[in-house]
Amino acid sequence: MSRIFAVAVALASFAVAPAMAEESGQAAKPSLTLEERKAKHDQLVMEKQGGYVTVRGTPSGSIVVVNAQKRVGVENFDYSSYAAAKWLKGLIKVVEGDAATVANAGELKKKHRANFAVFIVDDGNLPPSLIAVEAQWAILNVGALAVGGANEELVRIRAKNEFSRVMTILCGGFCSQYPAPLMNFVVDVPDLDRCLAEPPGDMTARMKGYLEKRGVKPERKVFYRKACEEGWAPQPTNEYQQAIWDKVHAMPEKPMKIEFDPKNGR
């Protein structure tokens, strides 16, 4: 009990200390700024762990964004600035270059010595995006985003969002949370030899909502009685459906009476 009492006294003292300091005229110590906290943390790491050293062989590889258009500012294509991809900082390089096509995208990727490449073009003949997962390149076509009377600002917003989509998919955002080789570990064509054709469940579950949004809906069945009650059932084709149809569509034995309410005027 004495130990519990001692803890309680300590907590109470801690709680009233600021008030006592204020009453005595002592100013409360200002909290540390973000920079000061970081400096303090770095100093503590240095003292306790010796600081940080870079692991041999890292960083390595590059993701090159090749801008070949003037419609949207290149500053809108900085994926590493997003909170979810901070760890990519320094691995993504944005450069000016030639417009890619399906025919030459692979060669242009080699020219830029990129592990992955996203080509930003303005082409009236291409769809908004082309993503070659195994070849590790993609084409984002801002020209296909200027539809529906969109002004320059709206095209910019669309391009920024489409770039995020394309980069995420190209760099493995389609992967499963499960260790499924089919979706996670296919780098070259021969890798398909060691896969099962069955896609992982977490990905097929996501497909349903996406497909429905694009107009592809699975068959859905309901009871004939429910269809009758909702008013869209087809004509009955057997005696059981006929009986349900007749019952649902039958006139009520005691029709509802509508009486005038003089107080409400109706």
Side-chain angles (χ1 to χ4, degrees), residues 168-169 171-178 180 183-185 200 202-203 206:
T168 301
I169 295 171
C171 296
F174 58 86
C175 291
S176 170
Q177 63 181 320
Y178 304 116
M183 302 308 301
N184 293 355
F185 308 128
D202 61 333
M203 303 194 76
R206 298 187 205 118

Side-chain angles (χ1 to χ4, degrees), residues 37-169:
R37 288 200 301 271
K38 183 178 184 304
K40 188 174 182 179
H41 170 267
D42 292 344
Q43 181 61 34
L44 183 62
V45 170
M46 178 60 69
E47 294 174 1
K48 299 295 184 181
Q49 305 293 341
Y52 296 98
V53 293
T54 300
V55 176
R56 185 178 298 174
T58 68
S60 67
S62 66
I63 303 169
V64 179
V65 179
V66 183
N67 182 49
Q69 53 81 47
K70 302 296 183 183
R71 191 188 294 256
V72 177
V74 72
E75 67 276 4
N76 293 283
F77 308 122
D78 183 13
Y79 190 83
S80 61
S81 65
Y82 305 156
K86 285 288 187 183
W87 58 273
L88 283 173
K89 199 161 188 175
L91 296 175
I92 299 178
K93 180 170 62 174
V94 182
V95 301
E96 299 292 325
D98 298 329
T101 65
V102 174
N104 69 3
E107 287 301 317
L108 289 177
K109 182 169 80 76
K110 289 181 181 179
K111 176 183 175 181
H112 290 283
R113 298 180 180 178
N115 295 78
F116 293 84
V118 178
F119 300 96
I120 315 294
V121 303
D122 189 350
D123 191 315
N125 299 315
L126 295 178
S129 66
L130 293 172
I131 303 175
V133 175
E134 290 80 9
Q136 297 170 208
W137 59 258
I139 297 175
L140 191 163
N141 178 28
V142 298
L145 304 177
V147 295
N151 58 26
E152 291 183 3
E153 175 60 13
L154 186 53
V155 172
R156 183 193 70 80
I157 293 172
R158 289 175 178 176
K160 187 179 179 72
N161 292 340
E162 183 70 356
F163 177 71
S164 181
R165 278 166 50 86
V166 169
M167 277 286 291
T168 301
I169 295 171

Side-chain angles (χ1 to χ4, degrees), residues 224 236-247:
Y224 185 77
T237 59
N238 56 57
E239 58 183 305
Y240 307 106
Q241 291 182 350
Q242 185 66 59
I244 294 171
W245 175 281
D246 293 341
K247 184 175 182 179

Side-chain angles (χ1 to χ4, degrees), residues 177-194:
Q177 63 181 320
Y178 304 116
L182 182 68
M183 302 308 301
N184 293 355
F185 308 128
V186 175
V187 177
D188 297 315
V189 172
D191 291 335
L192 292 168
D193 303 345
R194 296 179 291 275

